[in-house]
PDB file of all heavy atoms in Angstrom:
ATOM      1  N   GLU H  27     -36.973 -17.487  11.747  1.00  0.00           N
ATOM      2  CA  GLU H  27     -36.267 -16.355  12.395  1.00  0.00           C
ATOM      3  C   GLU H  27     -34.897 -16.132  11.973  1.00  0.00           C
ATOM      4  O   GLU H  27     -34.275 -17.076  11.465  1.00  0.00           O
ATOM      5  CB  GLU H  27     -36.441 -16.466  13.972  1.00  0.00           C
ATOM      6  CG  GLU H  27     -35.711 -17.786  14.440  1.00  0.00           C
ATOM      7  CD  GLU H  27     -35.817 -18.008  15.987  1.00  0.00           C
ATOM      8  OE1 GLU H  27     -36.740 -17.301  16.556  1.00  0.00           O
ATOM      9  OE2 GLU H  27     -35.095 -18.758  16.462  1.00  0.00           O
ATOM     10  N   LEU H  28     -34.397 -15.031  12.094  1.00  0.00           N
ATOM     11  CA  LEU H  28     -33.051 -14.607  11.842  1.00  0.00           C
ATOM     12  C   LEU H  28     -32.425 -13.827  12.950  1.00  0.00           C
ATOM     13  O   LEU H  28     -33.001 -12.797  13.437  1.00  0.00           O
ATOM     14  CB  LEU H  28     -33.005 -13.790  10.485  1.00  0.00           C
ATOM     15  CG  LEU H  28     -31.649 -13.396   9.956  1.00  0.00           C
ATOM     16  CD1 LEU H  28     -31.668 -13.220   8.378  1.00  0.00           C
ATOM     17  CD2 LEU H  28     -31.153 -12.010  10.531  1.00  0.00           C
ATOM     18  N   LYS H  29     -31.232 -14.263  13.388  1.00  0.00           N
ATOM     19  CA  LYS H  29     -30.576 -13.635  14.463  1.00  0.00           C
ATOM     20  C   LYS H  29     -29.165 -13.278  13.987  1.00  0.00           C
ATOM     21  O   LYS H  29     -28.477 -14.099  13.469  1.00  0.00           O
ATOM     22  CB  LYS H  29     -30.469 -14.440  15.753  1.00  0.00           C
ATOM     23  CG  LYS H  29     -31.769 -14.768  16.405  1.00  0.00           C
ATOM     24  CD  LYS H  29     -31.594 -15.634  17.714  1.00  0.00           C
ATOM     25  CE  LYS H  29     -32.798 -15.877  18.422  1.00  0.00           C
ATOM     26  NZ  LYS H  29     -33.845 -16.773  17.699  1.00  0.00           N
ATOM     27  N   LEU H  30     -28.799 -11.963  14.182  1.00  0.00           N
ATOM     28  CA  LEU H  30     -27.431 -11.552  13.702  1.00  0.00           C
ATOM     29  C   LEU H  30     -26.811 -10.584  14.664  1.00  0.00           C
ATOM     30  O   LEU H  30     -27.493  -9.670  15.182  1.00  0.00           O
ATOM     31  CB  LEU H  30     -27.666 -10.914  12.414  1.00  0.00           C
ATOM     32  CG  LEU H  30     -26.396 -10.512  11.564  1.00  0.00           C
ATOM     33  CD1 LEU H  30     -25.670 -11.779  11.087  1.00  0.00           C
ATOM     34  CD2 LEU H  30     -26.766  -9.615  10.307  1.00  0.00           C
ATOM     35  N   LEU H  31     -25.471 -10.842  14.906  1.00  0.00           N
ATOM     36  CA  LEU H  31     -24.708  -9.947  15.771  1.00  0.00           C
ATOM     37  C   LEU H  31     -23.428  -9.512  15.110  1.00  0.00           C
ATOM     38  O   LEU H  31     -22.738 -10.333  14.472  1.00  0.00           O
ATOM     39  CB  LEU H  31     -24.399 -10.693  17.130  1.00  0.00           C
ATOM     40  CG  LEU H  31     -25.497 -10.986  18.058  1.00  0.00           C
ATOM     41  CD1 LEU H  31     -25.000 -11.846  19.164  1.00  0.00           C
ATOM     42  CD2 LEU H  31     -26.060  -9.734  18.581  1.00  0.00           C
ATOM     43  N   MET H  32     -23.159  -8.174  15.271  1.00  0.00           N
ATOM     44  CA  MET H  32     -21.876  -7.694  14.765  1.00  0.00           C
ATOM     45  C   MET H  32     -21.263  -6.858  15.853  1.00  0.00           C
ATOM     46  O   MET H  32     -21.940  -5.991  16.407  1.00  0.00           O
ATOM     47  CB  MET H  32     -22.006  -6.895  13.438  1.00  0.00           C
ATOM     48  CG  MET H  32     -20.691  -6.322  12.930  1.00  0.00           C
ATOM     49  SD  MET H  32     -20.849  -5.214  11.463  1.00  0.00           S
ATOM     50  CE  MET H  32     -21.345  -3.673  12.479  1.00  0.00           C
ATOM     51  N   ASN H  33     -19.975  -7.065  16.145  1.00  0.00           N
ATOM     52  CA  ASN H  33     -19.322  -6.330  17.192  1.00  0.00           C
ATOM     53  C   ASN H  33     -18.019  -5.623  16.602  1.00  0.00           C
ATOM     54  O   ASN H  33     -17.472  -6.129  15.687  1.00  0.00           O
ATOM     55  CB  ASN H  33     -19.009  -7.160  18.348  1.00  0.00           C
ATOM     56  CG  ASN H  33     -17.830  -8.112  18.081  1.00  0.00           C
ATOM     57  OD1 ASN H  33     -18.088  -9.175  17.451  1.00  0.00           O
ATOM     58  ND2 ASN H  33     -16.657  -7.879  18.522  1.00  0.00           N
ATOM     59  N   ASP H  34     -17.753  -4.502  17.141  1.00  0.00           N
ATOM     60  CA  ASP H  34     -16.480  -3.711  16.806  1.00  0.00           C
ATOM     61  C   ASP H  34     -16.306  -3.617  15.312  1.00  0.00           C
ATOM     62  O   ASP H  34     -15.326  -3.956  14.716  1.00  0.00           O
ATOM     63  CB  ASP H  34     -15.390  -4.544  17.329  1.00  0.00           C
ATOM     64  CG  ASP H  34     -15.402  -4.627  18.934  1.00  0.00           C
ATOM     65  OD1 ASP H  34     -15.701  -3.509  19.596  1.00  0.00           O
ATOM     66  OD2 ASP H  34     -15.003  -5.662  19.375  1.00  0.00           O
ATOM     67  N   GLY H  35     -17.295  -3.005  14.687  1.00  0.00           N
ATOM     68  CA  GLY H  35     -17.240  -2.714  13.288  1.00  0.00           C
ATOM     69  C   GLY H  35     -17.285  -1.279  12.933  1.00  0.00           C
ATOM     70  O   GLY H  35     -17.197  -0.381  13.681  1.00  0.00           O
ATOM     71  N   ALA H  36     -17.620  -0.964  11.772  1.00  0.00           N
ATOM     72  CA  ALA H  36     -17.766   0.382  11.258  1.00  0.00           C
ATOM     73  C   ALA H  36     -18.805   0.459  10.064  1.00  0.00           C
ATOM     74  O   ALA H  36     -18.771  -0.532   9.319  1.00  0.00           O
ATOM     75  CB  ALA H  36     -16.385   1.001  10.887  1.00  0.00           C
ATOM     76  N   ILE H  37     -19.461   1.540   9.920  1.00  0.00           N
ATOM     77  CA  ILE H  37     -20.257   1.801   8.815  1.00  0.00           C
ATOM     78  C   ILE H  37     -20.210   3.242   8.338  1.00  0.00           C
ATOM     79  O   ILE H  37     -19.818   4.114   9.023  1.00  0.00           O
ATOM     80  CB  ILE H  37     -21.901   1.480   9.148  1.00  0.00           C
ATOM     81  CG1 ILE H  37     -22.284   2.397  10.212  1.00  0.00           C
ATOM     82  CG2 ILE H  37     -22.159   0.018   9.379  1.00  0.00           C
ATOM     83  CD1 ILE H  37     -23.840   2.362  10.405  1.00  0.00           C
ATOM     84  N   SER H  38     -20.522   3.336   7.040  1.00  0.00           N
ATOM     85  CA  SER H  38     -20.555   4.629   6.423  1.00  0.00           C
ATOM     86  C   SER H  38     -21.435   4.583   5.236  1.00  0.00           C
ATOM     87  O   SER H  38     -21.686   3.508   4.712  1.00  0.00           O
ATOM     88  CB  SER H  38     -19.082   5.109   6.040  1.00  0.00           C
ATOM     89  OG  SER H  38     -18.497   4.324   4.945  1.00  0.00           O
ATOM     90  N   LYS H  39     -21.730   5.814   4.728  1.00  0.00           N
ATOM     91  CA  LYS H  39     -22.527   5.867   3.522  1.00  0.00           C
ATOM     92  C   LYS H  39     -21.786   5.191   2.364  1.00  0.00           C
ATOM     93  O   LYS H  39     -22.285   4.442   1.543  1.00  0.00           O
ATOM     94  CB  LYS H  39     -22.886   7.342   3.190  1.00  0.00           C
ATOM     95  CG  LYS H  39     -23.518   7.478   1.797  1.00  0.00           C
ATOM     96  CD  LYS H  39     -23.824   8.926   1.514  1.00  0.00           C
ATOM     97  CE  LYS H  39     -24.459   9.242   0.287  1.00  0.00           C
ATOM     98  NZ  LYS H  39     -23.531   8.888  -0.854  1.00  0.00           N
ATOM     99  N   THR H  40     -20.502   5.529   2.234  1.00  0.00           N
ATOM    100  CA  THR H  40     -19.749   4.937   1.112  1.00  0.00           C
ATOM    101  C   THR H  40     -19.706   3.357   1.161  1.00  0.00           C
ATOM    102  O   THR H  40     -19.784   2.739   0.166  1.00  0.00           O
ATOM    103  CB  THR H  40     -18.331   5.482   1.163  1.00  0.00           C
ATOM    104  OG1 THR H  40     -18.367   6.908   1.229  1.00  0.00           O
ATOM    105  CG2 THR H  40     -17.514   4.989   0.028  1.00  0.00           C
ATOM    106  N   LEU H  41     -19.479   2.817   2.357  1.00  0.00           N
ATOM    107  CA  LEU H  41     -19.378   1.435   2.556  1.00  0.00           C
ATOM    108  C   LEU H  41     -20.725   0.751   2.158  1.00  0.00           C
ATOM    109  O   LEU H  41     -20.634  -0.239   1.391  1.00  0.00           O
ATOM    110  CB  LEU H  41     -19.067   1.162   4.078  1.00  0.00           C
ATOM    111  CG  LEU H  41     -19.054  -0.418   4.372  1.00  0.00           C
ATOM    112  CD1 LEU H  41     -18.093  -1.176   3.654  1.00  0.00           C
ATOM    113  CD2 LEU H  41     -18.840  -0.622   5.866  1.00  0.00           C
ATOM    114  N   LEU H  42     -21.836   1.195   2.620  1.00  0.00           N
ATOM    115  CA  LEU H  42     -23.115   0.616   2.326  1.00  0.00           C
ATOM    116  C   LEU H  42     -23.443   0.795   0.789  1.00  0.00           C
ATOM    117  O   LEU H  42     -24.059  -0.136   0.227  1.00  0.00           O
ATOM    118  CB  LEU H  42     -24.117   1.270   3.218  1.00  0.00           C
ATOM    119  CG  LEU H  42     -24.051   0.900   4.701  1.00  0.00           C
ATOM    120  CD1 LEU H  42     -25.077   1.755   5.426  1.00  0.00           C
ATOM    121  CD2 LEU H  42     -24.181  -0.572   4.927  1.00  0.00           C
ATOM    122  N   GLU H  43     -23.043   1.779   0.147  1.00  0.00           N
ATOM    123  CA  GLU H  43     -23.257   2.059  -1.208  1.00  0.00           C
ATOM    124  C   GLU H  43     -22.501   1.068  -2.046  1.00  0.00           C
ATOM    125  O   GLU H  43     -22.989   0.564  -2.940  1.00  0.00           O
ATOM    126  CB  GLU H  43     -22.743   3.559  -1.533  1.00  0.00           C
ATOM    127  CG  GLU H  43     -23.232   3.848  -2.958  1.00  0.00           C
ATOM    128  CD  GLU H  43     -22.893   5.322  -3.222  1.00  0.00           C
ATOM    129  OE1 GLU H  43     -21.699   5.730  -3.220  1.00  0.00           O
ATOM    130  OE2 GLU H  43     -23.845   6.106  -3.360  1.00  0.00           O
ATOM    131  N   ALA H  44     -21.209   0.772  -1.577  1.00  0.00           N
ATOM    132  CA  ALA H  44     -20.417  -0.202  -2.342  1.00  0.00           C
ATOM    133  C   ALA H  44     -21.006  -1.565  -2.201  1.00  0.00           C
ATOM    134  O   ALA H  44     -20.866  -2.480  -2.961  1.00  0.00           O
ATOM    135  CB  ALA H  44     -19.048  -0.121  -1.778  1.00  0.00           C
ATOM    136  N   ALA H  45     -21.645  -1.878  -1.003  1.00  0.00           N
ATOM    137  CA  ALA H  45     -22.155  -3.191  -0.782  1.00  0.00           C
ATOM    138  C   ALA H  45     -23.594  -3.423  -1.369  1.00  0.00           C
ATOM    139  O   ALA H  45     -24.150  -4.456  -1.318  1.00  0.00           O
ATOM    140  CB  ALA H  45     -22.311  -3.413   0.813  1.00  0.00           C
ATOM    141  N   GLY H  46     -24.116  -2.309  -1.998  1.00  0.00           N
ATOM    142  CA  GLY H  46     -25.369  -2.335  -2.589  1.00  0.00           C
ATOM    143  C   GLY H  46     -26.583  -2.344  -1.683  1.00  0.00           C
ATOM    144  O   GLY H  46     -27.621  -2.739  -2.060  1.00  0.00           O
ATOM    145  N   LEU H  47     -26.349  -2.056  -0.403  1.00  0.00           N
ATOM    146  CA  LEU H  47     -27.451  -1.949   0.536  1.00  0.00           C
ATOM    147  C   LEU H  47     -28.146  -0.457   0.411  1.00  0.00           C
ATOM    148  O   LEU H  47     -27.836   0.429   1.245  1.00  0.00           O
ATOM    149  CB  LEU H  47     -26.954  -2.210   1.874  1.00  0.00           C
ATOM    150  CG  LEU H  47     -26.205  -3.572   2.061  1.00  0.00           C
ATOM    151  CD1 LEU H  47     -25.682  -3.691   3.471  1.00  0.00           C
ATOM    152  CD2 LEU H  47     -27.267  -4.702   1.741  1.00  0.00           C
ATOM    153  N   ASN H  48     -29.003  -0.268  -0.399  1.00  0.00           N
ATOM    154  CA  ASN H  48     -29.511   1.019  -0.756  1.00  0.00           C
ATOM    155  C   ASN H  48     -30.306   1.570   0.441  1.00  0.00           C
ATOM    156  O   ASN H  48     -30.161   2.833   0.730  1.00  0.00           O
ATOM    157  CB  ASN H  48     -30.370   0.999  -2.036  1.00  0.00           C
ATOM    158  CG  ASN H  48     -29.607   0.514  -3.199  1.00  0.00           C
ATOM    159  OD1 ASN H  48     -28.431   0.830  -3.287  1.00  0.00           O
ATOM    160  ND2 ASN H  48     -30.322  -0.047  -4.200  1.00  0.00           N
ATOM    161  N   VAL H  49     -31.170   0.855   0.969  1.00  0.00           N
ATOM    162  CA  VAL H  49     -31.935   1.266   2.087  1.00  0.00           C
ATOM    163  C   VAL H  49     -31.138   1.734   3.348  1.00  0.00           C
ATOM    164  O   VAL H  49     -31.260   2.834   3.780  1.00  0.00           O
ATOM    165  CB  VAL H  49     -33.059   0.254   2.543  1.00  0.00           C
ATOM    166  CG1 VAL H  49     -33.774   0.795   3.762  1.00  0.00           C
ATOM    167  CG2 VAL H  49     -33.930  -0.135   1.316  1.00  0.00           C
ATOM    168  N   ALA H  50     -30.245   0.803   3.683  1.00  0.00           N
ATOM    169  CA  ALA H  50     -29.383   1.184   4.831  1.00  0.00           C
ATOM    170  C   ALA H  50     -28.429   2.337   4.474  1.00  0.00           C
ATOM    171  O   ALA H  50     -28.134   3.118   5.356  1.00  0.00           O
ATOM    172  CB  ALA H  50     -28.485  -0.088   5.181  1.00  0.00           C
ATOM    173  N   ASN H  51     -28.123   2.501   3.282  1.00  0.00           N
ATOM    174  CA  ASN H  51     -27.319   3.638   2.832  1.00  0.00           C
ATOM    175  C   ASN H  51     -27.931   4.900   3.128  1.00  0.00           C
ATOM    176  O   ASN H  51     -27.364   5.869   3.690  1.00  0.00           O
ATOM    177  CB  ASN H  51     -26.955   3.443   1.355  1.00  0.00           C
ATOM    178  CG  ASN H  51     -26.121   4.592   0.791  1.00  0.00           C
ATOM    179  OD1 ASN H  51     -25.443   5.277   1.530  1.00  0.00           O
ATOM    180  ND2 ASN H  51     -26.349   4.862  -0.495  1.00  0.00           N
ATOM    181  N   VAL H  52     -29.179   5.032   2.781  1.00  0.00           N
ATOM    182  CA  VAL H  52     -29.947   6.315   2.952  1.00  0.00           C
ATOM    183  C   VAL H  52     -30.172   6.513   4.418  1.00  0.00           C
ATOM    184  O   VAL H  52     -29.968   7.693   4.842  1.00  0.00           O
ATOM    185  CB  VAL H  52     -31.352   6.182   2.157  1.00  0.00           C
ATOM    186  CG1 VAL H  52     -32.175   7.458   2.470  1.00  0.00           C
ATOM    187  CG2 VAL H  52     -31.148   5.936   0.693  1.00  0.00           C
ATOM    188  N   VAL H  53     -30.446   5.521   5.260  1.00  0.00           N
ATOM    189  CA  VAL H  53     -30.712   5.704   6.585  1.00  0.00           C
ATOM    190  C   VAL H  53     -29.442   6.288   7.340  1.00  0.00           C
ATOM    191  O   VAL H  53     -29.420   7.239   8.088  1.00  0.00           O
ATOM    192  CB  VAL H  53     -31.194   4.396   7.336  1.00  0.00           C
ATOM    193  CG1 VAL H  53     -31.267   4.485   8.911  1.00  0.00           C
ATOM    194  CG2 VAL H  53     -32.536   3.990   6.752  1.00  0.00           C
ATOM    195  N   VAL H  54     -28.317   5.547   7.051  1.00  0.00           N
ATOM    196  CA  VAL H  54     -27.012   6.020   7.612  1.00  0.00           C
ATOM    197  C   VAL H  54     -26.677   7.409   7.318  1.00  0.00           C
ATOM    198  O   VAL H  54     -26.103   8.173   8.115  1.00  0.00           O
ATOM    199  CB  VAL H  54     -25.930   4.938   7.246  1.00  0.00           C
ATOM    200  CG1 VAL H  54     -24.597   5.438   7.733  1.00  0.00           C
ATOM    201  CG2 VAL H  54     -26.227   3.632   7.964  1.00  0.00           C
ATOM    202  N   GLU H  55     -26.880   7.761   6.042  1.00  0.00           N
ATOM    203  CA  GLU H  55     -26.540   9.119   5.573  1.00  0.00           C
ATOM    204  C   GLU H  55     -27.289  10.226   6.401  1.00  0.00           C
ATOM    205  O   GLU H  55     -26.831  11.266   6.835  1.00  0.00           O
ATOM    206  CB  GLU H  55     -26.751   9.258   4.096  1.00  0.00           C
ATOM    207  CG  GLU H  55     -26.453  10.689   3.613  1.00  0.00           C
ATOM    208  CD  GLU H  55     -26.773  10.755   2.066  1.00  0.00           C
ATOM    209  OE1 GLU H  55     -27.568  10.025   1.613  1.00  0.00           O
ATOM    210  OE2 GLU H  55     -26.319  11.756   1.542  1.00  0.00           O
ATOM    211  N   LYS H  56     -28.561   9.844   6.720  1.00  0.00           N
ATOM    212  CA  LYS H  56     -29.510  10.784   7.385  1.00  0.00           C
ATOM    213  C   LYS H  56     -29.006  10.810   8.901  1.00  0.00           C
ATOM    214  O   LYS H  56     -29.217  11.943   9.554  1.00  0.00           O
ATOM    215  CB  LYS H  56     -30.934  10.387   7.212  1.00  0.00           C
ATOM    216  CG  LYS H  56     -31.415  10.767   5.753  1.00  0.00           C
ATOM    217  CD  LYS H  56     -32.926  10.607   5.759  1.00  0.00           C
ATOM    218  CE  LYS H  56     -33.390  11.005   4.328  1.00  0.00           C
ATOM    219  NZ  LYS H  56     -33.321  12.384   4.064  1.00  0.00           N
ATOM    220  N   LEU H  57     -28.652   9.684   9.382  1.00  0.00           N
ATOM    221  CA  LEU H  57     -28.301   9.628  10.874  1.00  0.00           C
ATOM    222  C   LEU H  57     -26.938  10.216  11.068  1.00  0.00           C
ATOM    223  O   LEU H  57     -26.638  11.039  12.059  1.00  0.00           O
ATOM    224  CB  LEU H  57     -28.271   8.246  11.307  1.00  0.00           C
ATOM    225  CG  LEU H  57     -29.692   7.534  11.504  1.00  0.00           C
ATOM    226  CD1 LEU H  57     -29.431   6.178  11.949  1.00  0.00           C
ATOM    227  CD2 LEU H  57     -30.396   8.289  12.645  1.00  0.00           C
ATOM    228  N   PHE H  58     -25.913   9.850  10.273  1.00  0.00           N
ATOM    229  CA  PHE H  58     -24.494  10.173  10.533  1.00  0.00           C
ATOM    230  C   PHE H  58     -23.856  11.084   9.515  1.00  0.00           C
ATOM    231  O   PHE H  58     -22.569  11.345   9.660  1.00  0.00           O
ATOM    232  CB  PHE H  58     -23.711   8.920  10.770  1.00  0.00           C
ATOM    233  CG  PHE H  58     -24.319   7.889  11.786  1.00  0.00           C
ATOM    234  CD1 PHE H  58     -24.952   6.790  11.358  1.00  0.00           C
ATOM    235  CD2 PHE H  58     -24.276   8.293  13.140  1.00  0.00           C
ATOM    236  CE1 PHE H  58     -25.420   5.934  12.349  1.00  0.00           C
ATOM    237  CE2 PHE H  58     -24.844   7.372  14.132  1.00  0.00           C
ATOM    238  CZ  PHE H  58     -25.392   6.145  13.719  1.00  0.00           C
ATOM    239  N   GLY H  59     -24.513  11.301   8.379  1.00  0.00           N
ATOM    240  CA  GLY H  59     -23.772  11.975   7.291  1.00  0.00           C
ATOM    241  C   GLY H  59     -23.021  10.985   6.598  1.00  0.00           C
ATOM    242  O   GLY H  59     -23.119   9.815   6.482  1.00  0.00           O
ATOM    243  N   ASP H  60     -21.843  11.530   6.061  1.00  0.00           N
ATOM    244  CA  ASP H  60     -20.955  10.700   5.235  1.00  0.00           C
ATOM    245  C   ASP H  60     -19.693  10.212   6.006  1.00  0.00           C
ATOM    246  O   ASP H  60     -18.800   9.594   5.493  1.00  0.00           O
ATOM    247  CB  ASP H  60     -20.416  11.367   4.020  1.00  0.00           C
ATOM    248  CG  ASP H  60     -19.954  10.516   2.887  1.00  0.00           C
ATOM    249  OD1 ASP H  60     -20.207   9.283   2.967  1.00  0.00           O
ATOM    250  OD2 ASP H  60     -19.188  11.067   2.078  1.00  0.00           O
ATOM    251  N   LYS H  61     -19.700  10.475   7.381  1.00  0.00           N
ATOM    252  CA  LYS H  61     -18.488  10.095   8.083  1.00  0.00           C
ATOM    253  C   LYS H  61     -18.584   8.571   8.492  1.00  0.00           C
ATOM    254  O   LYS H  61     -19.599   7.956   8.421  1.00  0.00           O
ATOM    255  CB  LYS H  61     -18.412  10.815   9.309  1.00  0.00           C
ATOM    256  CG  LYS H  61     -19.511  10.605  10.404  1.00  0.00           C
ATOM    257  CD  LYS H  61     -19.336  11.395  11.569  1.00  0.00           C
ATOM    258  CE  LYS H  61     -20.446  11.182  12.579  1.00  0.00           C
ATOM    259  NZ  LYS H  61     -20.229  11.844  13.829  1.00  0.00           N
ATOM    260  N   THR H  62     -17.448   7.967   8.731  1.00  0.00           N
ATOM    261  CA  THR H  62     -17.397   6.619   9.200  1.00  0.00           C
ATOM    262  C   THR H  62     -17.652   6.497  10.699  1.00  0.00           C
ATOM    263  O   THR H  62     -17.115   7.316  11.487  1.00  0.00           O
ATOM    264  CB  THR H  62     -16.037   5.950   8.886  1.00  0.00           C
ATOM    265  OG1 THR H  62     -15.791   5.996   7.514  1.00  0.00           O
ATOM    266  CG2 THR H  62     -15.929   4.647   9.423  1.00  0.00           C
ATOM    267  N   VAL H  63     -18.622   5.665  11.102  1.00  0.00           N
ATOM    268  CA  VAL H  63     -18.937   5.581  12.470  1.00  0.00           C
ATOM    269  C   VAL H  63     -18.500   4.247  13.047  1.00  0.00           C
ATOM    270  O   VAL H  63     -18.920   3.190  12.456  1.00  0.00           O
ATOM    271  CB  VAL H  63     -20.472   5.774  12.609  1.00  0.00           C
ATOM    272  CG1 VAL H  63     -20.957   5.690  14.060  1.00  0.00           C
ATOM    273  CG2 VAL H  63     -20.952   7.067  12.084  1.00  0.00           C
ATOM    274  N   HIS H  64     -17.925   4.224  14.217  1.00  0.00           N
ATOM    275  CA  HIS H  64     -17.491   3.018  14.850  1.00  0.00           C
ATOM    276  C   HIS H  64     -18.773   2.370  15.422  1.00  0.00           C
ATOM    277  O   HIS H  64     -19.582   3.056  16.196  1.00  0.00           O
ATOM    278  CB  HIS H  64     -16.481   3.229  15.809  1.00  0.00           C
ATOM    279  CG  HIS H  64     -16.072   1.959  16.596  1.00  0.00           C
ATOM    280  ND1 HIS H  64     -15.245   0.944  16.037  1.00  0.00           N
ATOM    281  CD2 HIS H  64     -16.442   1.485  17.792  1.00  0.00           C
ATOM    282  CE1 HIS H  64     -15.057  -0.014  16.907  1.00  0.00           C
ATOM    283  NE2 HIS H  64     -15.811   0.263  17.996  1.00  0.00           N
ATOM    284  N   ILE H  65     -18.934   1.012  15.271  1.00  0.00           N
ATOM    285  CA  ILE H  65     -20.093   0.303  15.772  1.00  0.00           C
ATOM    286  C   ILE H  65     -19.647  -0.555  16.975  1.00  0.00           C
ATOM    287  O   ILE H  65     -18.816  -1.420  16.810  1.00  0.00           O
ATOM    288  CB  ILE H  65     -20.791  -0.428  14.687  1.00  0.00           C
ATOM    289  CG1 ILE H  65     -21.229   0.387  13.542  1.00  0.00           C
ATOM    290  CG2 ILE H  65     -21.925  -1.181  15.360  1.00  0.00           C
ATOM    291  CD1 ILE H  65     -22.257   1.397  13.842  1.00  0.00           C
ATOM    292  N   ASN H  66     -20.100  -0.225  18.095  1.00  0.00           N
ATOM    293  CA  ASN H  66     -19.799  -1.201  19.262  1.00  0.00           C
ATOM    294  C   ASN H  66     -20.515  -2.526  19.041  1.00  0.00           C
ATOM    295  O   ASN H  66     -19.857  -3.605  19.203  1.00  0.00           O
ATOM    296  CB  ASN H  66     -20.285  -0.580  20.601  1.00  0.00           C
ATOM    297  CG  ASN H  66     -19.461   0.736  20.873  1.00  0.00           C
ATOM    298  OD1 ASN H  66     -18.367   0.841  20.511  1.00  0.00           O
ATOM    299  ND2 ASN H  66     -20.238   1.604  21.553  1.00  0.00           N
ATOM    300  N   CYS H  67     -21.797  -2.461  18.675  1.00  0.00           N
ATOM    301  CA  CYS H  67     -22.572  -3.669  18.564  1.00  0.00           C
ATOM    302  C   CYS H  67     -23.709  -3.416  17.528  1.00  0.00           C
ATOM    303  O   CYS H  67     -24.467  -2.268  17.773  1.00  0.00           O
ATOM    304  CB  CYS H  67     -23.032  -4.172  19.855  1.00  0.00           C
ATOM    305  SG  CYS H  67     -24.140  -5.707  19.709  1.00  0.00           S
ATOM    306  N   ALA H  68     -24.010  -4.327  16.665  1.00  0.00           N
ATOM    307  CA  ALA H  68     -25.330  -4.239  15.890  1.00  0.00           C
ATOM    308  C   ALA H  68     -26.016  -5.588  16.091  1.00  0.00           C
ATOM    309  O   ALA H  68     -25.307  -6.614  15.912  1.00  0.00           O
ATOM    310  CB  ALA H  68     -24.940  -4.058  14.410  1.00  0.00           C
ATOM    311  N   ALA H  69     -27.218  -5.612  16.536  1.00  0.00           N
ATOM    312  CA  ALA H  69     -27.908  -6.812  16.848  1.00  0.00           C
ATOM    313  C   ALA H  69     -29.214  -6.730  16.185  1.00  0.00           C
ATOM    314  O   ALA H  69     -30.000  -5.790  16.271  1.00  0.00           O
ATOM    315  CB  ALA H  69     -28.094  -6.922  18.384  1.00  0.00           C
TER     316      ALA H  69
END
């Protein structure tokens, strides 16, 4: 199993593209466009 928590962060298409996370990059673009979105919590 893998458990992961992130609090008080931010994501964007540009950020995920730079990190090489191709799948997440496409999902975030479709959800939020190219804007930076503040993340209260990712679990």
Side-chain angles (χ1 to χ4, degrees):
E27 58 184 17
L28 182 151
K29 296 181 173 69
L30 187 68
L31 292 174
M32 181 186 79
N33 68 286
D34 298 319
I37 59 170
S38 69
K39 173 181 179 295
T40 304
L41 172 62
L42 294 173
E43 190 175 64
L47 302 175
N48 297 331
V49 178
N51 174 27
V52 176
V53 172
V54 168
E55 182 184 16
K56 288 187 177 294
L57 286 174
F58 306 109
D60 196 20
K61 67 178 182 178
T62 299
V63 179
H64 179 78
I65 303 298
N66 297 327
C67 175

